[in-house]
Amino acid sequence: MDTIIVTGGAGYIGSHTIIELLTKTNFNVVSIDNFSNSTVKSYARIKEITNKTFETINIDLCDNDRLKTELSKIKNIIGIIHFAAYKSVPESVANPTLYYYNNLNSLNNLLKFAHDQKIKHFIFSSSCSVYGNADELPVTEKTPLKSAESPYGHTKQIGEDIINYVCKTNSDFNAVILRYFNPVGAHPSGKIGEFPLNRPNNLVPIITQTAVGKNSLTVFGNDFDTRDGSCIRDYIHVSDIADAHVKALNYLIDGENKKNVSLFNLGTGNGVSVIEAITSFEKVSGKKLNYAIGGRREGDVVAIFANNNLAKTELKWAPQFSIDDMMLSAWKWQLNLLEEN
Ligand code: WQD
C-alpha cells in the first residue's frame, strides 16, 4: 500500500490532515513527530475520530542520522507532507537562531532523504508571512514578496527558495508549496483542535482561554490604518487547510501539476480584523469577552488576506467554513478541553 509520511503529524494542522488522509484516501500514513510543540494525545484523538490506526515515529528531523535510519525502514513511500516547524511569530523574533536552525535543517534533511529514496511528491507547509507587508491586497501567488517581518516568515521564504531550486535541478521531484493564512478552529467533532503546550501566542486560543478565565486578552494595537484600527488577517478553518493537503497530494499523484513546483494561497479571501474576530466569537459563544487595548506587537503586518482563485481552479478546493463556524468550533474544543482536565 502506498505510504504518505506526515511530519509534525501530532501537531495542529498535521493531525487534522491525517484525519482527512485516513478518512478520504487509502494511503498508509506514517506520522513523524518529536512532540516539541504537540502532544502524543493527538494520536489517540485521531484514532478515536477515524477508528483507523497508523504508524508513528518519534524523532527530531534535525537529527539526520536518526532520520535516515528510521525512515529507511518505511516501505512504498510515495509522498511527504512536511508540517514540522516552529511557527510562532513573536517567539521567532525573540529567538531567531532557534527558528533558522530548526526549520531549515529539518527541511534540508528531509529533502536529502527524499532525493536519496527517489520519493517524487512533496508538500511544503508555507505561510502568508512570506508576503510581509504586501503593497497590494488581496495577495496572489505572484505578489512580490517583501522582506519578511519575522524570522519565522523568513524561514518560510528560504524554505520555498530551497524547494524551487531542488525542483529546478530534479525534474522527477514534484512539490506543492501551500501558503497558509491564519489556520484557526477545531475539527467539527470537537474531539481535536489547537493544543498549545505553553501559553499560546496566537489570537484564537487566547480568545477561547480568556472566555474560560484561563488567560487574558490584549488587542495588540487599535491605531492601524484599517477599518476599525486593528490588524486584518485571513482566518481559515484548519479542516479547510487539511482538505487542501489531500487535494494537493492527489494533484501531484494524478500528474495534474503543470510544473514540477506549484504554489497556492490557502485563505478564504476574506480579511477579518481582530475586533471583528472577537465580535464573531462573542456572537457564537454568547460570552462577552473582556480585553484590553495594548501596544503594537513587533513582527505584525497590518493587513493581509488571500486571493485564493488558483487553489480553487487547480486543486478544485474551496473553503467551507465561515468565521463564525471557525469561532464556534474553537469554542466547542475549548469546552471539551475543560471537561478533560
Ligand atoms: C493574529 C492577529 C495579532 C494575539 C499567523 C500564525 C502563524 C503563521 C503566521 C501559518 C495579529 C493579534 C494576537 C493576542 C492580538 N501562520 N493578536 N492579541 O501573527 O498573524 O501569525 O501567521 O503558518 O502560525 O499564527 O497570528 O494569531 O498571532 O495574530 O491582538 O493576544 O491577532 O497582533 O494582528 P499571526 P496571531
Side-chain angles (χ1 to χ4, degrees):
M1 193 192 276
D2 289 338
T3 296
I4 301 295
I5 299 279
V6 177
T7 74
Y12 177 40
I13 305 172
S15 57
H16 285 75
T17 300
I18 289 179
I19 290 169
E20 299 304 309
L21 287 169
L22 292 175
T23 52
K24 295 192 178 139
T25 77
N26 292 318
F27 294 124
N28 180 42
V29 172
V30 177
S31 174
I32 316 283
D33 205 307
N34 68 348
F35 309 116
S36 58
N37 191 28
S38 58
T39 164
V40 69
K41 286 181 181 176
S42 296
Y43 290 151
R45 290 174 175 140
I46 293 169
K47 289 169 186 166
E48 184 194 353
I49 292 166
T50 63
N51 200 21
K52 299 269 177 85
T53 58
F54 54 99
E55 191 181 344
T56 66
I57 301 175
N58 175 353
I59 56 167
D60 180 345
L61 293 169
C62 292
D63 180 341
N64 201 31
D65 292 339
R66 283 218 58 209
L67 185 157
K68 287 189 289 188
T69 305
E70 293 304 321
L71 270 63
S72 303
K73 297 173 188 169
I74 302 167
K75 300 290 171 244
N76 305 322
I77 303 173
I78 62 158
I80 297 173
I81 305 179
H82 181 39
F83 292 105
Y86 295 154
K87 60 148 192 168
S88 164
V89 169
E91 185 184 55
S92 75
V93 171
N95 198 341
T97 51
L98 173 71
Y99 272 65
Y100 289 115
Y101 177 81
N102 182 69
N103 290 5
L104 298 178
N105 280 347
S106 52
L107 173 63
N108 278 314
N109 290 344
L110 209 53
L111 287 171
K112 177 81 172 59
F113 174 77
H115 178 270
D116 296 345
Q117 300 287 322
K118 296 184 175 29
I119 296 166
K120 290 186 175 175
H121 308 301
F122 193 90
I123 296 177
F124 178 63
S125 161
S126 189
S127 162
C128 60
S129 338
V130 301
Y131 292 107
N133 260 309
D135 292 331
E136 59 171 13
L137 289 175
V139 290
T140 73
E141 290 82 356
K142 294 192 183 315
T143 296
L145 304 190
K146 308 292 283 296
S147 59
E149 294 289 316
S150 68
Y152 162 79
H154 193 205
T155 66
K156 292 301 182 180
Q157 286 180 339
I158 299 168
E160 290 191 10
D161 287 347
I162 293 169
I163 288 170
N164 276 302
Y165 277 108
V166 167
C167 289
K168 205 171 181 177
T169 53
N170 177 358
S171 57
D172 288 336
F173 188 69
N174 296 276
V176 166
I177 295 170
L178 297 175
R179 288 178 179 167
Y180 313 153
F181 281 68
N182 283 54
V184 297
H187 189 263
S189 66
K191 294 179 178 163
I192 195 168
E194 195 161 6
F195 192 81
L197 295 186
N198 312 304
R199 188 193 188 284
N201 290 306
N202 42 335
L203 180 66
V204 174
I206 293 173
I207 285 178
T208 59
Q209 289 181 356
T210 299
V212 295
K214 288 183 156 239
N215 210 322
S216 60
L217 174 61
T218 299
V219 173
F220 295 141
N222 67 346
D223 59 349
F224 291 96
D225 181 17
T226 63
R227 51 184 176 266
D228 62 18
S230 65
C231 288
I232 289 177
R233 293 288 184 277
D234 185 333
Y235 298 98
I236 178 160
H237 196 286
V238 63
S239 291
D240 278 330
I241 296 272
D243 178 49
H245 284 76
V246 176
K247 288 181 164 69
L249 193 59
N250 289 329
Y251 177 77
L252 289 176
I253 292 169
D254 298 343
E256 290 168 16
N257 53 320
K258 298 176 177 65
K259 298 175 291 179
N260 72 329
V261 57
S262 312
L263 168 64
F264 300 107
N265 282 338
L266 294 187
T268 63
N270 305 316
V272 171
S273 76
V274 177
I275 301 295
E276 289 164 348
I278 292 169
T279 305
S280 166
F281 175 80
E282 291 179 327
K283 181 172 76 172
V284 299
S285 66
K287 301 280 282 185
K288 184 87 183 89
L289 265 189
N290 294 318
Y291 59 89
I293 300 290
R296 297 182 176 189
R297 179 177 71 176
E298 191 183 348
D300 273 340
V301 300
V302 183
I304 187 159
F305 54 96
N307 175 316
N308 62 6
N309 292 334
L310 203 56
K312 284 181 172 176
T313 49
E314 288 291 301
L315 299 182
K316 315 277 186 295
W317 169 81
Q320 302 299 308
F321 297 90
S322 68
I323 187 70
D324 288 354
D325 297 330
M326 296 177 217
M327 290 300 175
L328 184 57
S329 65
W331 179 230
K332 264 176 69 179
W333 167 240
Q334 180 67 68
L335 294 175
N336 284 350
L337 273 179
L338 266 189
E339 279 172 30
E340 263 188 22
N341 298 331

